Each structure stands twice: as C-alpha cells, then as structure tokens.
Amino acid sequence: MRTYVVRRIGLLIVIVFIAFTANFLIPRLIPGDPIQAELAQQAAITGNQGVNIAAAAKALDAKFQLDKPVWQQYLAYWDDLFHLDLGYSIQNYPETVGSEIRATIFWTFGLLGFSILVAFVIGCLLGAALAWPTAPRVIRALGPFFMVLGSIPQFLIGLALIFAFATILRILPGGGVIESTQVVAFNFSTIFDILHHSILPAAALILGLIGSWAVGMRGMMISVLGEDYILFAEAKGLSPGRVFLWYGMRNALLPQLTGLAVALGTAVSGAILVEVVFNYPGVGFLLFQAISQKDYFTIQGVVLVLIATLALTLFIVDILYPFIDPRVRYEQ
C-alpha cells in the first residue's frame, strides 16, 4: 500500500506540474496586449481621451511583470504559487485574483455541487432500472425523455426554462442570486431568496446531466446482468430489490464514481454558459469575463484552482477505489 500511495503521489506531482506549466503558457498565446486593450476600453467608457495609453500600459506592464522575458515571468509565476499568491486582476485592479475567486466559489460549489449530486443519484437509479428486466413501464417511458434532454446543451435548457417560468408564467426569477431590494443578511428571508433564484439554473443543470449519467449506468448494468453472482443471488431466493441494489447497482456503480469525481473536480469552473445565461456570479462567469478581457492572471487563477481540485478528487478516488471494490488490489 505504501508503494502504491507513493507512486500515486509522484504521478499527481508530475501531472500538476505539467498542467500548471501549460496554464502559464496558454494565456500568453492570446494575441494582443491585455493591458492596452483594457486601458483603451476604460478611456472609451469614461470619455477621457487625453490619457497616454501607451505610457500607462508600459507602466502597468512593469507592475504586472509582463515586460520581462517569458522565462523570468515563469520563475515569478512559480514563486507566487509557492506563496499562494495568484496575483492581481487586470480588469479589476487592485483587487486580487484570490479575493475574486473566494467571492464566487461559494456560489459555484453551492449550485454545481448540489446539481451534480442530485443528477448523479437520479441518473444512476434511472439507468440501472432501464437495464433491469423487471423495471416498471413508467421508468422505461422516462428514460428516452431524459436521454434526449442530455443531448441538448444545458444553456439552451436554461433559456427554455427562463422563457417558460420567468417570461410566460412569471413564477420564478430569470437570473441573479438575490433581489436588488433585498438586504443581504444571514436570515430566513435572504436564504429563501437565494434558493428561489437558484431553482431555474439548478433545474437546467440537473435536467441536462441526468441523461448522461443514465446512459453510462445502463451500459454498466447490462454488463453485470449475466454475471455469476447475480444468478447466485437470485438462486438463493433474495428479494428482487436486494439483488437490484446490492448485487447489480453496487457492482455497476464503480466506474460511475470516477465520473463523479471528475464532475465534482470540474465543478469549480462552473457551467460557464449556464452561469452567463442566468447572470449567476459563480467562478464560471468570472472565467468568462476574464477570457473576454484577456485577464491573464484571473484566467490562470481560476484554471489553477480547477486543476488542483480535479487532481485532488481523482487522487482521493484512486486511493479509495480498492476499499470500494474488493476486487481491486494494490499489488499486481
């Protein structure tokens, strides 16, 4: 076990190093000068055309160390990482990237974490029931519906929900997380308002994810139906529900857990287009704004958190897999 864990830790370090290096290089391949573009945009908005944009851009390039050679920027990048310093946001200077992520990650984890877990449970149960020979007819009727929804982009589902429930019926808000007149405080009124605004984006994500989980679970369930332990459990006279849950779903669920770890790891980035459609102030919306403004440091910071979270969740699942499945062993 010790050798296995050491190897996994070494592999984790190599993967994170390569991913962090790629994260440094890719934003710098974007054409144009982000500092100069931001200054020109601010000058156009404020109408202040007397600013020497070139001189101001040169000063800010020095401030953000963008005037140095790439290899010096790379060394400074790793030095900042070791000090947990993600730098300053170009578009919202002097606000730091860390403070931006901390202000948005709560919303993303709350929305995406809840939606992914609900969709995972419903999708796995639905997919397993679709493959089970004695499944009720109503389950078989719901399966194709959710599979069709799973092929539709989630932001399109969100637009349809906004049109139906916010524009036509007017029973749910179409965006944001809280009413502009609401005083933010830790009380029932604020919590209810936040939950009320989260219904449509959560519904768009859940409806879009159930189908994919159901398809994967159905395929795995079909593969275990002919196994000897299923036939043995039925021969012992166990109840159909026990055979379905403990002998069928339990063994078919293992590959799905890896997919769940990936989904939870990537949840940090948020469903970008869904957050944009609903004007939801999550990490995905922050990343969308950073890419639009060519904000190197914010892009790097969000992707760094995404890489670290994904690598950590996969590492945890990799370590726990032998405990979940007794057939998996550390030794060859």
Side-chain angles (χ1 to χ4, degrees):
M1 179 175 178
R2 182 180 302 173
T3 303
Y4 175 85
V5 173
V6 170
R7 287 177 179 175
R8 288 296 180 268
I9 292 175
L11 183 62
L12 174 67
I13 293 173
V14 172
I15 291 174
V16 168
F17 174 78
I18 295 173
F20 279 17
T21 300
N23 181 50
F24 168 81
L25 295 174
I26 290 175
R28 285 162 174 78
L29 298 177
I30 301 175
D33 186 343
I35 300 289
Q36 191 165 353
E38 180 69 15
L39 289 174
Q41 180 179 354
Q42 293 298 327
I45 293 174
T46 59
N48 187 1
Q49 302 297 332
V51 178
N52 188 339
I53 295 178
K58 185 176 180 180
L60 287 176
D61 281 341
K63 175 69 177 177
F64 288 104
Q65 302 184 23
L66 296 178
D67 60 333
K68 295 181 179 180
V70 175
W71 67 270
Q72 291 186 8
Q73 295 182 40
Y74 182 69
L75 294 179
Y77 166 78
W78 278 104
D79 182 65
D80 291 338
L81 287 182
F82 285 124
H83 291 88
L84 301 179
D85 182 8
L86 298 179
Y88 291 94
S89 169
I90 294 176
Q91 59 180 338
N92 296 317
Y93 182 80
E95 189 173 358
T96 63
V97 175
S99 63
E100 287 185 327
I101 294 176
R102 285 192 297 270
T104 55
I105 199 169
F106 167 79
W107 302 105
T108 292
F109 267 137
L111 176 65
L112 269 296
F114 172 79
S115 302
I116 290 172
L117 290 176
V118 170
F120 176 79
V121 173
I122 297 176
C124 288
L125 288 173
L126 177 64
L130 287 173
W132 202 250
T134 59
R137 290 184 178 181
V138 63
I139 299 294
R140 298 185 180 276
L142 288 175
F145 169 74
F146 283 109
M147 290 179 184
V148 170
L149 282 180
S151 63
I152 301 175
Q154 295 166 359
F155 74 93
L156 289 181
I157 298 176
L159 290 174
L161 293 177
I162 291 174
F163 178 75
F165 293 97
T167 305
I168 302 299
L169 300 177
R170 297 185 178 181
I171 57 177
L172 292 172
V177 293
I178 197 168
E179 293 292 342
S180 57
T181 57
Q182 175 73 39
V183 178
V184 179
F186 188 72
N187 52 38
F188 177 78
S189 177
T190 302
I191 295 175
F192 176 80
D193 200 23
I194 292 174
L195 295 177
H196 191 227
H197 280 75
S198 300
I199 292 176
L200 287 185
L205 293 169
I206 292 172
L207 292 174
L209 291 172
I210 286 178
S212 60
W213 288 119
V215 170
M217 189 64 184
R218 180 179 179 273
M220 295 305 304
M221 198 69 171
I222 290 175
S223 67
V224 304
L225 282 177
E227 296 292 338
D228 293 339
Y229 51 80
I230 297 288
L231 300 176
F232 181 69
E234 293 174 345
K236 288 174 62 178
L238 299 179
S239 64
R242 181 174 176 82
V243 176
F244 173 73
L245 291 175
W246 289 99
Y247 290 83
M249 277 201 65
R250 184 181 179 185
N251 290 282
L253 191 63
L254 296 173
Q256 296 285 86
L257 293 176
T258 303
L260 178 62
V262 174
L264 291 175
T266 55
V268 178
S269 66
I272 297 177
L273 293 181
V274 173
E275 292 189 359
V276 172
V277 166
F278 287 97
N279 195 28
Y280 196 84
V283 180
F285 188 66
L286 175 65
L287 181 59
F288 170 79
Q289 291 179 315
I291 294 173
S292 301
Q293 300 294 329
K294 299 179 183 178
D295 190 341
Y296 290 158
F297 299 107
T298 302
I299 296 173
Q300 284 182 175
V302 174
V303 177
L304 280 173
V305 174
L306 172 62
I307 293 171
T309 307
L310 179 58
L312 184 60
T313 52
L314 288 176
F315 173 75
I316 293 174
V317 170
D318 209 11
I319 296 298
L320 294 180
Y321 227 115
F323 297 98
I324 299 173
D325 185 0
R327 295 170 298 182
V328 178
R329 291 293 181 266
Y330 292 116
E331 298 83 13
Q332 292 183 349

